[in-house]
Amino acid sequence: MSRKRIAALFAYIALAWGGSFVAIKIGLNTVSHAPVFFAALRLLVAAVVALPAAAFLAGDDDRWIPRTRNDIAVVAFGAVFIMGGANAFLFAGEQGTTSSVSSVLFSLNPVIATALAAVIVPEDDLSLSQGVGVLLGILGVVVVAHPTPSQLTGGHVVSELLVFCSALCIALGSVASQRFPANVNAIASTAWSLGAGGVLLLLVALALGEPITLNSAGPNFYLALAYLGILATAVAYTAYFSLIADIGAARTTLVSYLVPIVTAVVSVLFLSEPVTPFLVGGFALIVCGFLLVNRRVIARLLA
């Protein structure tokens, strides 16, 4: 893959995922009463695009269809945690906080994944520098939330905890699925997880009593949904796994730390959301935590 194509994919993923937090906020302005239903629609729209694309990209290779127990386990972890749980918590949490705060808290997931891997994957011990990195990441979350005693039960703190749970879901699903070496390829397993996760969230929305209707939805909602489902999910995930295949997971993960910067700019332009010192300081701590957690990998990349 040429450097120009790598740079283009990097830029696309950062822009698509950065804008997704703003698109969620725009959509929630219409369906604030049904955040889980909105999240389900995102996944189902993405699955409608991603599944045929996975079959086409596979060609004569039938590894795009889950067949073994490990294949099904990877798809199930993706559906329940990476797609379903992460999106449900993110959409519910973003009701009470800004897009920029959501994107910064969400960027903690690689740091959480390292801490979880030390517990779930026996050979992944947590070194001293990684432990410090995890603590810095958590401190960054506290700075972003900056709760006061009177706010500990307040709406914005609860919302930020929900977004934190979203990052936790992605980290847990990603680490747990590593215990199941699958035959199905990454793009295909993601596509199946999108569909299964979308159906799961529809059932959750029904169980929560959310109204499954779009009678009040206008053009802005449908534009936000199309952006989220197609550009920020189906296409962005395909680009993400293409990058992993060509430059490795370590380099590709770095795109996660461009996303909050894009979100901050877009949210100021479209939603007039403020960029506060707490937001900048917390993000800086999370980035430092990520650098410590991945110190050896980044040193190799720079060398």
Side-chain angles (χ1 to χ4, degrees):
M1 185 184 291
S2 70
R3 290 185 178 182
K4 287 184 179 179
R5 185 161 182 259
I6 290 172
L9 288 176
F10 240 89
Y12 176 80
I13 296 167
L15 290 170
W17 285 353
S20 68
F21 293 92
V22 176
I24 291 170
K25 198 73 172 178
I26 291 171
L28 285 172
N29 289 335
T30 299
V31 291
S32 59
H33 54 290
V36 178
F37 176 52
F38 184 18
L41 291 179
R42 173 190 187 172
L43 299 185
L44 292 173
V45 168
V48 168
V49 177
L51 275 171
F56 174 77
L57 291 172
D60 296 330
D61 186 353
D62 64 357
R63 286 188 306 149
W64 73 278
I65 301 174
R67 299 181 186 277
T68 67
R69 288 183 179 181
N70 283 357
D71 291 346
I72 294 171
V74 168
V75 170
F77 275 113
V80 174
F81 293 103
I82 300 174
M83 302 302 173
N87 277 277
F89 282 122
L90 175 61
F91 279 57
E94 202 167 329
Q95 287 180 299
T97 190
T98 66
S99 307
S100 294
V101 167
S102 296
S103 66
V104 168
L105 296 177
F106 196 78
S107 71
L108 186 65
N109 76 81
V111 177
I112 300 173
T114 300
L116 290 175
V119 177
I120 298 174
V121 184
E123 60 270 20
D124 285 355
D125 294 329
L126 198 66
S127 68
L128 177 61
S129 64
Q130 288 178 318
V132 173
V134 171
L135 291 176
L136 278 178
I138 294 171
L139 179 60
V141 171
V142 174
V143 171
V144 170
H146 60 279
T148 63
S150 62
Q151 292 175 324
L152 287 176
T153 57
H156 88 90
V157 174
V158 172
S159 294
E160 287 157 6
L161 283 174
L162 288 173
V163 178
F164 175 80
C165 287
S166 176
L168 180 61
C169 276
I170 286 195
L172 180 59
S174 300
V175 173
S177 62
Q178 292 177 17
R179 297 181 63 88
F180 300 91
N183 189 50
V184 64
N185 67 63
I187 292 176
S189 67
T190 299
W192 287 106
S193 295
L194 285 167
V199 173
L200 174 64
L201 289 193
L202 271 182
L203 296 176
V204 172
L206 286 169
L208 292 174
E210 291 187 0
I212 311 300
T213 177
L214 294 175
N215 291 337
S216 60
N220 286 345
F221 173 82
Y222 289 109
L223 285 172
L225 178 60
Y227 177 89
L228 286 168
I230 299 171
L231 298 179
T233 307
V235 179
Y237 271 109
T238 301
Y240 186 75
F241 287 115
S242 297
L243 268 181
I244 289 177
D246 284 292
I247 66 174
R251 287 186 174 92
T252 305
T253 304
L254 296 175
V255 76
S256 300
Y257 294 90
L258 295 176
V259 170
I261 298 171
V262 173
T263 301
V265 173
V266 176
S267 64
V268 168
L269 293 176
F270 287 90
L271 301 176
S272 299
E273 291 182 350
V275 177
T276 67
F278 289 107
L279 182 67
V280 175
F283 180 55
L285 286 170
I286 291 172
V287 170
C288 289
F290 173 80
L291 293 175
L292 277 176
V293 162
N294 295 278
R295 180 174 57 87
R296 294 177 181 174
V297 173
I298 293 170
R300 287 199 300 269
L301 295 180
L302 293 175

